Amino acid sequence: GQQLNQSPQSMFIQEGEDVSMNCTSSSIFNTWLWYKQDPGEGPVLLIALYKAGELTSNGRLTAQFGITRKDSFLNISASIPSDVGIYFCAGQLRPNAGGTSYGKLTFGQGTILTVHP
Amino acid sequence: DAGVIQSPRHEVTEMGQEVTLRCKPISGHDYLFWYRQTMMRGLELLIYFNNNVPIDDSGMPEDRFSAKMPNASFSTLKIQPSEPRDSAVYFCASRQKDRGWRNGGELFFGEGSRLTVL
């Protein structure tokens, strides 16, 4: 089945620094998503990317859908303590032509981010 | 609007006991998913439903696991008998019906049920 390789596994940074993480896949995906999980909570969607080459921002977050459709990256600028958490990439295949099936969402292993004040 | 609601938030049980986890998806969402999260294996999809019908249960570990969705607003994940290796956080998530190629894939997760089997 599809596998997503997410890196780095963990990051320890100082407040104010920029952060970059990425995901690569052996399969082509039609949608890339980035989620954040706070301690004791479920993952929450940060950014969704639907088109190869697409670059999308959400505040201090920027994500790109790779041209090959096999990779994506997420950047966080000027990190703050509340950015702490686990960040997951997820890839989804296009649903079938009937539009009634779900493209299965595959998650990366996550990047644990620690921000020191 | 209320999000995905899961119960219990925490459960501690002894090996061999039956465990039932419950989920109420977001109203109007057609898909419901059960995930399991562990340090070793990350987020694993166990099973998902479309309009209350199980579509793919290939991620269910073994016959000890079963899931039902009797109606659009309720689902259960049952483990019987439970084993220590079942200890994990179990998430329920829901999403809307596909709407063309730009279908979002936007899963909305509950807060999870942390299961500890002693």
Side-chain angles (χ1 to χ4, degrees):
Chain A
Q2 301 100 16
Q3 295 217 352
L4 292 185
N5 296 311
Q6 186 172 348
S7 65
Q9 286 188 325
S10 61
M11 302 182 73
F12 298 84
I13 62 171
Q14 293 289 328
E15 182 178 359
E17 291 184 0
D18 297 342
V19 172
S20 184
M21 59 191 80
N22 67 82
C23 258
T24 59
S25 169
S26 57
S27 302
I28 291 174
F29 288 110
N30 290 91
T31 303
W32 281 94
L33 305 133
W34 286 91
Y35 283 82
K36 183 193 176 193
Q37 184 178 23
D38 290 326
E41 304 288 333
V44 174
L45 182 68
L46 296 174
I47 290 180
L49 303 155
Y50 304 104
K51 192 175 179 181
E54 181 178 356
L55 184 71
T56 297
S57 293
N58 179 7
R60 294 179 294 106
L61 276 60
T62 302
Q64 185 157 30
F65 192 143
I67 291 292
T68 64
R69 296 196 288 165
K70 291 184 177 182
D71 64 309
S72 177
F73 73 75
L74 174 71
N75 286 343
I76 305 173
S77 63
S79 59
I80 59 178
S82 63
D83 290 334
V84 164
I86 306 176
Y87 290 79
F88 292 97
C89 63
Q92 180 179 299
L93 297 171
R94 182 183 297 223
N96 66 20
T100 57
S101 72
Y102 160 76
K104 189 174 288 188
L105 203 62
T106 302
F107 281 87
Q109 288 294 90
T111 296
I112 301 172
L113 178 63
T114 303
V115 180
H116 294 287
Chain B
D1 288 340
V4 175
I5 300 172
Q6 291 187 247
S7 65
R9 287 297 309 274
H10 302 274
E11 172 120 2
V12 180
T13 190
E14 293 190 343
M15 183 173 64
Q17 296 297 306
E18 178 179 293
V19 173
T20 299
L21 307 178
R22 297 172 178 80
C23 175
K24 175 178 168 54
I26 293 173
S27 177
H29 282 192
D30 296 301
Y31 292 90
L32 183 140
F33 304 81
W34 282 100
Y35 282 87
R36 178 172 68 176
Q37 185 177 35
T38 61
M39 287 295 293
M40 291 297 295
R41 301 173 71 91
L43 274 166
E44 302 174 275
L45 178 63
L46 301 177
I47 184 172
Y48 77 93
F49 297 82
N50 180 15
N51 291 325
N52 313 337
V53 176
I55 302 299
D56 185 348
D57 65 353
S58 60
M60 295 287 261
E62 49 198 89
D63 292 344
R64 298 184 297 106
F65 285 69
S66 63
K68 294 182 179 179
M69 192 166 185
N71 58 62
S73 59
F74 183 66
S75 177
T76 60
L77 178 67
K78 187 173 292 187
I79 308 172
Q80 167 63 23
S82 58
E83 296 182 3
R85 61 188 167 129
D86 300 332
S87 298
V89 181
Y90 291 82
F91 287 103
C92 177
S94 69
R95 74 189 284 263
Q96 290 180 319
K97 179 181 178 180
D98 294 337
R99 289 188 175 87
W101 72 270
R102 199 180 180 95
N103 63 75
E106 297 172 18
L107 293 186
F108 292 82
F109 285 82
E111 294 184 313
S113 295
R114 180 175 293 277
L115 173 64
T116 302
V117 183
L118 304 175

